[in-house]
Amino acid sequence: MLDASAAAELRAAPFSYDEVGATRGDLPKGYVPMRRELHIGQGQEFFELARTALFGWHVHRAAGPKIIPSSLQVAEDTVALVRIGVGPLALKAPVRVVYVVDEPGRAGFAYGTLPGHPEQGEESFLISMDDAERVRFDIVAFSRPGTRLARSSGSLGRAVQERVTERYIEAMVAYTRPDTHQVG
């Protein structure tokens, strides 16, 4: 976990984009939008398992990037440092939770980028259950390059972002499969 001083420093930092909370509705212009959705299961028990996977950072940890959060459970204003890569070459991508949804049939959160993140924008992760108890996982994001390195990476940066998103989906599916369920 992040130490208290690092967490306080990230909480004090402004978001690196103006459209905070925009993943709740129409995505802003000037960014590359991304939407992924997948039916992942059925029933209240399955919904609760997916909720646990999401709010306990399990999906993010299993997706590949190292995530160092300020709290073991997602909550508003939780901050995290996402590290992609290894050693001194790892990219550090600070984020802060923008909003949390936790109500019957809907659970999830969005985080936004902070200064130092290679991108500018926001990403949301939402589990929902309809009246027929079908459980769906939605990821919605908008982003644009936020650093010189990100701008110079061109399509490579976008490809990495898309691959990490696919890994979030794969991680959720793996975590919620009864025959392979593991906490951690």
Side-chain angles (χ1 to χ4, degrees):
M1 267 194 355
L2 279 177
D3 67 50
S5 67
E9 186 177 323
L10 289 179
R11 277 192 196 95
F15 287 101
S16 61
Y17 63 105
D18 293 329
E19 302 84 352
V20 176
T23 52
R24 289 182 180 208
D26 294 332
L27 300 183
K29 295 185 185 321
Y31 295 85
V32 176
M34 193 267 313
R35 295 181 186 271
R36 299 283 189 279
E37 63 180 61
L38 180 69
H39 173 259
I40 58 170
Q42 188 79 26
Q44 184 66 38
E45 187 175 322
F46 191 91
F47 174 85
E48 292 301 328
L49 183 60
R51 182 189 172 283
T52 297
L54 198 56
F55 283 153
W57 296 108
H58 304 298
V59 168
H60 286 73
R61 284 192 177 100
K66 181 176 182 175
I67 187 147
I68 307 164
S70 62
S71 171
L72 295 177
Q73 291 293 308
V74 170
E76 275 202 48
D77 286 330
T78 298
V79 290
L81 191 58
V82 181
R83 290 177 50 105
I84 300 172
V86 292
L89 298 178
L91 289 175
K92 295 176 185 173
V95 297
R96 182 168 63 233
V97 173
V98 174
Y99 62 83
V100 173
V101 176
D102 196 9
E103 55 195 44
R106 292 182 69 226
F109 67 96
Y111 56 50
T113 59
L114 299 173
H117 194 294
E119 299 285 324
Q120 294 176 331
E122 189 172 291
E123 191 164 24
S124 70
F125 307 87
L126 183 67
I127 305 296
S128 60
M129 185 171 63
D130 65 17
D131 292 338
E133 294 195 343
R134 290 181 300 242
V135 179
R136 194 174 82 196
F137 182 37
D138 292 291
I139 300 175
V140 176
F142 60 90
S143 65
R144 63 184 173 206
T147 63
R148 183 178 302 153
L149 176 63
R151 284 188 290 280
S152 67
S153 71
S155 61
L156 177 62
R158 182 67 43 209
V160 167
Q161 189 175 24
E162 287 178 9
R163 180 62 188 135
V164 170
T165 298
E166 292 305 317
R167 301 248 348 219
Y168 289 144
I169 291 170
E170 292 165 5
M172 176 62 81
V173 170
Y175 188 90
T176 55
R177 281 185 44 202
D179 58 331
T180 61
H181 173 70
Q182 297 178 22
V183 175

